Amino acid sequence: MNDTAQIYDQGEYNFAYLDEQTKRMIRRAILKGIAIPGYQVPFASREMPMPYGWGTGGVQVTAAVLGKDDCLKMIDQGSDDTTNAVSLRGFFEKTAGVRTTYETSEATVIQTRHRIPEKTLTEDQILVFQVPIPEPLRFLEPRETETRKMHALEDYGLMHVKLYEDIAKNGHIATTYAYPVKVNDRYVMDPSPTPKFDNPKIDEMAALQLYGAGREKRIYAIPPYTKVKSLDFEDYPFEVQKFDKPCALCGAENVYLDEVILDDRGGRMFVCSDSDHCEERRAQGHTGPMAANPAAAQITEKNQRETTR
Amino acid sequence: METTVSTPVQNGRSTPLSAGFLDPVHDAQACFRAIMSVMARPGTRQKLVMCSEVPPEPLTPAAAAIALTLFDYDTPVWLDRPLMQSEAVKAFLRFHTGAPILSEPVEAAFALVSEPQSMIPLASFNQGSAEYPDQSTTVILTGQTFGKAQAVTLAGPGIKDTASFSTGPTPPVFWDQVVSNNRQFPRGVDLIFAGTAEVAALPRSTRITLTEA
């Protein structure tokens, strides 16, 4: 028994922090969200011991679904070891005492801030998204009464006008993240600020997707194998970002890359945003063009030290 | 079939209440995950964790487990006649969940049906509004046997290609009601089927095709 388990036995927290009535309320909202894919179910979001913007919605959803046998993975912009992921993982280690992991395939529940793992998820996994603004129409129409009516009437003309204006101004659809999707041919939904690179993964995904927005008090869901279409036009079809180079460390292609600054003389490299994917590939012996570069090696070494810690 | 209840058992007042979950936190979580899994994958079945004692009849153990997982003071519950006539069932639900028990199906968040063969039409429950479709009733049919009755074909969210589903007993025109329930999507009720040990569900998003006999 570790320290956290002892704390739990002393009754410091209920399992996974939330009280049982709150969990039931969230669980009911999740069931309705699953039954109406893409529809935002209002729920009585609680104040959590972390500020809004740190994933209070995702944390409440995770706390409601998590069981003692689950294995939890937390990612923040694809990475397991950045601030948000580290603190939320610590939160659940302390309050639920569940097993946590960095490995995508080992996790049963994955809470994510704005990325979907590169590795294909399975039917036995649940992906929980942290959502800042759940309403895709909010920046076009600030009134909740109106956006609610627009969803009820399936009136999404405004969203198409916005995408059209993108084309008129920039020559292409300039939305690169939080790219609106239509779920099951009915509701237009914000897939949280994930890069649009990840939108194709949402479509017909084998895993259940749950979205939690704490400040805005909304929960929504996409069941497995649900049709999710990124909005576009016949002559301007939806396209994902393309990278001209592979990952500098593991050489992976067709993955989402982050820019890493190496020095103050303009040195930089592009590496996998999904840190677990990158590490797994390097462990298998894949190397990228900059894997031997001392500046890059220093960064990877540091990461690996933190990973093993 | 497990529900051969013709006369409700009136053993409520003098006998002590039967117990709920042995481990309320983790048993409710396990039950919820089973229900969530079947709601997300219509037509599939999952095992429920039962209460430590058998609940008063005609409430089945599976129905009691679902009730303790999802009901509380926020969820008005409608009971069908055999359940409503049993003081023991009402006392059990009131004690363990605190849910208000109603006679108006249209106001209910959940409906518990112990005699599905004579249940009221699905349209009598709350269908939700166009703005708030989530406020509709979740109808729980208890005493179900899976795989014996005539199968229907399911398609829609949560189902890869199609799935076959069969459950009973159900009222005579039940599947026609489920078809029209789906037609009014996003409004409509969601259905949970509670068997002896297993649970299945049909959310309103599932499209039903009746298979010809």
Side-chain angles (χ1 to χ4, degrees):
Chain A
M1 188 184 284
N2 61 20
D3 291 351
T4 46
Q6 272 165 6
I7 292 168
Y8 172 58
D9 269 4
Q10 286 162 12
E12 290 266 323
Y13 292 108
N14 187 26
F15 178 79
Y17 184 78
L18 293 176
D19 61 277
E20 289 303 298
Q21 199 276 330
T22 300
K23 285 189 201 166
R24 269 195 301 273
M25 175 270 297
I26 294 170
R27 287 167 181 170
R28 290 192 297 258
I30 291 173
L31 292 183
K32 286 297 176 190
I34 292 170
I36 320 164
Y39 166 77
Q40 302 161 49
V41 185
F43 81 111
S45 176
R46 300 294 196 249
E47 198 157 328
M48 298 300 285
M50 62 203 69
Y52 289 133
W54 279 70
T56 54
V59 165
Q60 290 179 77
V61 169
T62 301
V65 302
L66 202 65
K68 58 183 190 300
D69 299 327
D70 274 315
C71 182
L72 183 66
K73 174 181 163 81
M74 281 278 178
I75 45 179
D76 171 10
Q77 304 286 6
S79 171
D80 291 275
D81 44 20
T82 46
T83 319
N84 196 220
V86 170
S87 43
L88 294 188
R89 186 184 309 110
F91 175 77
F92 280 111
E93 280 170 352
K94 184 176 272 179
T95 59
V98 290
R99 208 156 53 87
T100 56
T101 184
Y102 280 35
E103 275 174 47
T104 303
S105 49
E106 196 190 359
T108 53
V109 179
I110 303 172
Q111 183 177 326
T112 176
R113 174 171 173 268
H114 321 331
R115 263 323 302 284
I116 297 169
E118 304 290 357
K119 192 174 274 177
T120 310
L121 301 180
T122 66
E123 288 192 6
D124 304 321
Q125 293 176 309
I126 298 168
L127 188 58
V128 179
F129 291 79
Q130 303 169 200
V131 183
I133 313 270
E135 177 52 73
L137 304 165
R138 183 59 72 234
F139 290 111
L140 307 170
E141 170 52 68
R143 289 167 297 181
E144 170 68 13
T145 47
E146 294 305 304
T147 53
R148 198 154 273 281
K149 210 163 275 166
M150 288 156 81
H151 282 296
L153 298 172
E154 209 179 339
D155 176 6
Y156 296 124
L158 204 53
M159 185 55 92
H160 281 103
V161 170
K162 193 239 168 207
L163 295 176
Y164 168 74
E165 282 180 351
D166 258 15
I167 297 171
K169 267 188 210 152
N170 308 304
H172 60 99
I173 298 178
T175 309
T176 53
Y177 65 93
Y179 193 101
V181 293
K182 198 167 204 182
V183 182
N184 189 29
D185 294 322
R186 179 58 182 79
Y187 282 101
V188 164
M189 189 198 94
D190 180 352
S192 86
T194 49
K196 70 176 177 182
F197 182 86
D198 284 339
N199 275 24
K201 295 181 196 159
I202 302 174
D203 182 32
E204 304 280 336
M205 186 192 271
L208 169 65
Q209 301 169 61
L210 303 174
Y211 294 77
R215 178 183 48 215
E216 303 292 321
K217 301 174 173 58
R218 296 288 185 274
I219 284 172
Y220 49 106
I222 302 179
Y225 308 117
T226 300
K227 185 181 165 197
V228 180
K229 168 112 178 63
S230 302
L231 297 183
D232 60 359
F233 299 98
E234 272 174 27
D235 49 345
Y236 284 88
F238 172 78
E239 279 177 347
V240 298
Q241 292 101 326
K242 287 204 177 63
F243 299 90
D244 46 4
K245 277 187 208 151
C247 168
L249 295 176
C250 76
E253 287 179 36
N254 301 319
V255 295
Y256 194 73
L257 301 179
D258 278 343
E259 182 182 13
V260 176
I261 308 286
L262 295 173
D263 51 39
D264 55 3
R265 296 182 304 277
R268 58 182 194 157
M269 63 175 178
F270 288 90
V271 297
C272 287
S273 140
D274 185 339
S275 58
D276 172 58
H277 181 76
C278 197
E279 268 165 41
E280 193 182 293
R281 278 182 56 86
R282 272 180 280 147
Q284 287 166 356
H286 297 277
T287 46
M290 286 180 79
N293 184 308
Q298 197 191 349
I299 288 172
T300 24
E301 245 170 54
K302 194 174 110 249
N303 281 348
Q304 260 157 2
R305 250 199 336 271
E306 277 166 15
T307 310
T308 45
R309 184 166 52 87
Chain B
M1 306 277 180
E2 56 266 34
T3 52
T4 45
V5 184
S6 49
T7 48
V9 186
Q10 297 282 353
N11 62 348
R13 286 159 211 269
S14 54
T15 47
L17 279 161
S18 58
F21 288 130
L22 201 60
D23 181 349
V25 171
H26 295 108
D27 289 356
Q29 188 274 338
C31 274
F32 166 70
R33 278 287 276 273
I35 299 167
M36 179 172 83
S37 168
V38 296
M39 193 62 93
R41 294 172 180 81
T44 61
R45 305 200 291 262
Q46 288 278 332
K47 274 211 151 52
L48 288 170
V49 179
M50 298 298 174
C51 299
S52 54
E53 284 176 23
V54 178
E57 285 194 340
L59 194 67
T60 64
I66 296 170
L68 265 61
T69 304
L70 296 176
F71 299 1
D72 57 31
Y73 55 75
D74 273 345
T75 58
V77 174
W78 178 88
L79 304 176
D80 72 346
R81 186 169 296 145
L83 288 168
M84 195 63 115
Q85 281 170 349
S86 163
E87 286 303 320
V89 166
K90 285 194 276 185
F92 177 85
L93 290 176
R94 283 201 185 103
F95 177 80
H96 285 292
T97 72
I101 293 169
L102 308 170
S103 48
E104 278 302 318
V106 76
E107 287 166 14
F110 289 97
L112 266 178
V113 181
S114 66
E115 268 183 10
Q117 53 275 50
S118 57
M119 78 181 274
I120 60 170
L122 292 181
S124 3
F125 297 105
N126 190 346
Q127 308 292 307
S129 62
E131 273 96 351
Y132 291 95
D134 58 296
Q135 288 173 352
S136 65
T137 309
T138 302
V139 183
I140 303 160
L141 281 73
T142 72
Q144 298 288 298
T145 308
F146 301 111
K148 293 275 164 62
Q150 201 189 332
V152 291
T153 307
L154 314 177
I159 302 160
K160 196 178 187 181
D161 309 319
T162 58
S164 175
F165 180 61
S166 127
T167 189
T170 51
V173 287
F174 180 69
W175 293 110
D176 295 327
Q177 294 181 40
V178 180
V179 168
S180 23
N181 184 55
N182 167 253
R183 287 219 183 100
Q184 54 168 347
F185 184 89
R187 296 177 69 226
V189 301
D190 303 312
L191 299 163
I192 296 178
F193 302 90
T196 323
E198 287 181 320
V199 66
L202 284 184
R204 67 195 82 174
S205 59
T206 305
R207 296 184 298 278
I208 315 269
T209 321
L210 305 179
T211 338
E212 295 299 319

